[in-house]
């Protein structure tokens, strides 16, 4: 279902050897994990993490073929605890391919897509506290506007927040379809016919807020750098500028402190061919660092 972005390139940049210990912090549909398992061989160890319970079911399926995968249901922001509990002190490589999988978008029924009419949830990990439903139905108008502006970089944030609050006075906004329709209704003809669906940025903002994605990424990357062996690599694939900026600033800071070397000075983007065969890959940016000795 999920089409892996930068499949070979990301794993090549991890510079793996047979027997390595590797973390795939975002298992998703296991595209990268399978490639990593092939390269480290049966003497290697692959710790696979995902906060989506369905992804963990897929890890367990894969474990039937590869006994050396260790499936973890958890958040990569707890990478240090996850590894300590598994008796692992340091690792050779860590991969982060952040954001949504096609599986979450298309089959989770948790309201990630503005093209579907599903309960407005958007939690990647359904055991966490806040749903998108809670934000749109209970948060004050100014807070909703701030979330949409900050995490969606949406210029129309105030207009959209006002429409949400007006709508919820008569009925609760329960589904992704209702929210998407509401944003469509207050959009101009030009906005409606633009390439980007008028609800794209609002949905992105709610998802990032619900899953606290930016803080989790910063924490996860910081912990990954700490557990890398000297010469070990960390690869990050980001899908929008807010995520990419987190990686860029953190990597730059660590490079200034001489803890890491920037392997990619500028982020890598996908080939023309991948752009055509996988539209989701168009916005992808990959950054790579290496831990210094
Ligand atoms: C883009 S997909 C990964 C796709 C995967 N590389 C593949 O090839 O199939 C991102 C995955 O990361 C998971 N994820 C996102 N943020 C996470 C976090 N903070 N902790 C753990 N998993 C996370 C999502 O649930 C999703 O399954």
């Amino acid at each position: 279902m999920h089409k892996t972005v930068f499949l070979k390139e990301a794993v090549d940049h991890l510079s793996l050897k047979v027997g390595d210990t590797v973390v795939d912090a975002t298992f998703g549909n296991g595209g990268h994990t399978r490639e990593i398992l092939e390269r480290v061989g049966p003497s290697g160890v692959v710790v696979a993490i995902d906060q989506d319970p369905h992804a963990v079911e897929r890890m367990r399926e894969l474990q039937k073929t590869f006994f050396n995968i260790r499936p973890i249901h958890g958040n990569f922001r707890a990478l240090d605890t996850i590894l300590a509990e598994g008796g692992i002190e340091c690792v050779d490589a860590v991969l982060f391919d952040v954001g949504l999988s096609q599986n979450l978008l298309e089959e989770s029924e948790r309201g990630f897509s503005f093209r579907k009419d599903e309960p407005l949830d958007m939690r990647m990990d359904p055991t966490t506290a806040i749903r998108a439903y809670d934000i749109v139905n209970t948060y004050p108008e100014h807070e909703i506007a701030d979330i949409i502006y900050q995490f969606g970089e949406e210029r129309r944030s105030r207009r959209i927040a006002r429409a949400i609050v007006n709508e919820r006075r008569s009925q609760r906004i329960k589904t992704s379809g209702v929210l998407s329709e509401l944003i469509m209704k207050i959009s101009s003809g030009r906005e409606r016919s633009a390439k980007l669906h008028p609800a794209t940025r609002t949905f992105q903002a709610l998802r990032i807020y619900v899953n606290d994605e930016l803080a989790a990424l910063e924490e996860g990357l910081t912990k990954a750098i700490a557990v890398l062996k000297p010469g070990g690599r960390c690869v990050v694939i980001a899908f929008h500028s807010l995520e990419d900026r987190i990686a860029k600033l953190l990597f730059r800071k660590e490079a200034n402190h001489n803890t890491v070397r920037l392997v990619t000075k500028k982020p890598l983007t996908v080939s023309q061919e991948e752009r055509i065969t996988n539209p989701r890959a168009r916005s992808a940016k990959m950054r790579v660092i290496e831990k210094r000795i």
Side-chain angles (χ1 to χ4, degrees):
M1 158 71 72
H2 179 84
K3 207 157 187 221
T4 299
V5 178
F6 282 126
L7 174 58
K8 297 268 184 244
E9 296 89 335
V11 183
D12 282 349
H13 274 96
L14 291 175
S15 278
L16 302 175
K17 301 178 302 304
V18 167
D20 274 355
T21 300
V22 184
V23 177
D24 185 344
T26 50
F27 177 85
N29 202 31
H32 287 114
T33 309
R34 270 183 218 100
E35 186 68 27
I36 294 168
L37 282 160
E38 296 288 349
R39 298 205 194 180
V40 299
S43 59
V45 173
V46 179
V47 179
I49 305 172
D50 206 296
Q51 59 178 338
D52 172 21
H54 293 307
V56 182
E57 286 168 20
R58 292 190 287 275
M59 292 176 198
R60 297 206 188 286
E61 269 307 302
L62 193 59
Q63 203 177 22
K64 292 179 184 162
T65 321
F66 295 94
F67 65 90
N68 52 337
I69 176 175
R70 298 207 198 163
I72 306 285
H73 178 229
N75 195 307
F76 57 59
R77 70 194 309 168
L79 188 62
D80 49 350
T81 319
I82 291 171
L83 292 178
E85 281 171 0
I88 297 174
E89 270 177 30
C90 49
V91 301
D92 297 286
V94 187
L95 171 67
F96 292 84
D97 175 17
V98 286
L100 270 188
S101 63
Q102 283 306 110
N103 306 70
L104 280 169
L105 198 64
E106 300 295 342
E107 53 184 35
S108 72
E109 297 180 4
R110 279 178 248 159
F112 288 105
S113 169
F114 47 76
R115 299 192 196 284
K116 290 178 178 267
D117 194 26
E118 298 171 342
L120 201 51
D121 185 316
M122 295 201 197
R123 289 171 301 176
M124 292 185 194
D125 179 352
T127 64
T128 56
I130 302 165
R131 299 162 298 173
Y133 173 91
D134 303 307
I135 302 169
V136 299
N137 289 295
T138 66
Y139 279 30
E141 182 178 326
H142 70 92
E143 270 187 49
I144 298 176
D146 287 350
I147 290 171
I148 298 174
Y149 183 72
Q150 191 183 349
F151 300 122
E153 298 181 309
E154 169 63 86
R155 284 184 297 113
R156 304 175 302 151
S157 57
R158 298 206 177 285
R159 205 186 339 150
I160 293 172
R162 191 161 320 124
I164 287 173
V165 170
N166 283 340
E167 176 75 11
R168 79 186 189 195
R169 285 199 184 103
S170 54
Q171 56 170 336
R172 296 204 153 230
I173 302 166
K174 292 187 179 151
T175 69
S176 50
V178 170
L179 179 61
S180 166
E181 192 51 40
L182 179 69
I183 298 171
M184 200 57 145
K185 244 194 284 176
I186 59 149
S187 300
S188 67
R190 196 166 48 85
E191 287 160 353
R192 284 182 205 188
S193 56
K195 241 190 187 165
L196 202 68
H197 187 288
T200 308
R201 292 175 184 281
T202 302
F203 272 63
Q204 172 189 303
L206 291 172
R207 196 200 84 210
I208 291 178
Y209 181 86
V210 165
N211 298 288
D212 198 16
E213 290 178 31
L214 303 182
L217 181 59
E218 181 150 19
E219 231 176 289
L221 288 176
T222 305
K223 290 178 175 172
I225 293 170
V227 297
L228 272 181
K229 290 178 191 167
R233 295 261 179 118
C234 175
V235 171
V236 186
I237 303 169
F239 289 87
H240 54 76
S241 55
L242 296 171
E243 290 170 342
D244 182 56
R245 196 178 305 148
I246 301 270
K248 179 173 85 176
L249 296 181
L250 181 70
F251 287 176
R252 197 183 284 164
K253 187 180 88 186
E254 295 283 345
N256 287 340
H257 291 159
N258 263 333
T259 41
V260 306
R261 175 175 79 80
L262 300 178
V263 177
T264 50
K265 301 271 183 297
K266 291 235 160 67
L268 305 180
T269 51
V270 296
S271 63
Q272 188 59 23
E273 190 192 334
E274 188 165 358
R275 223 168 260 269
I276 294 164
T277 55
N278 189 1
R280 191 179 150 269
R282 278 181 208 153
S283 59
K285 286 187 174 166
M286 180 166 83
R287 292 182 187 269
V288 186
I289 49 126
E290 187 174 284
K291 183 90 173 263
R292 285 214 186 257
I293 312 290

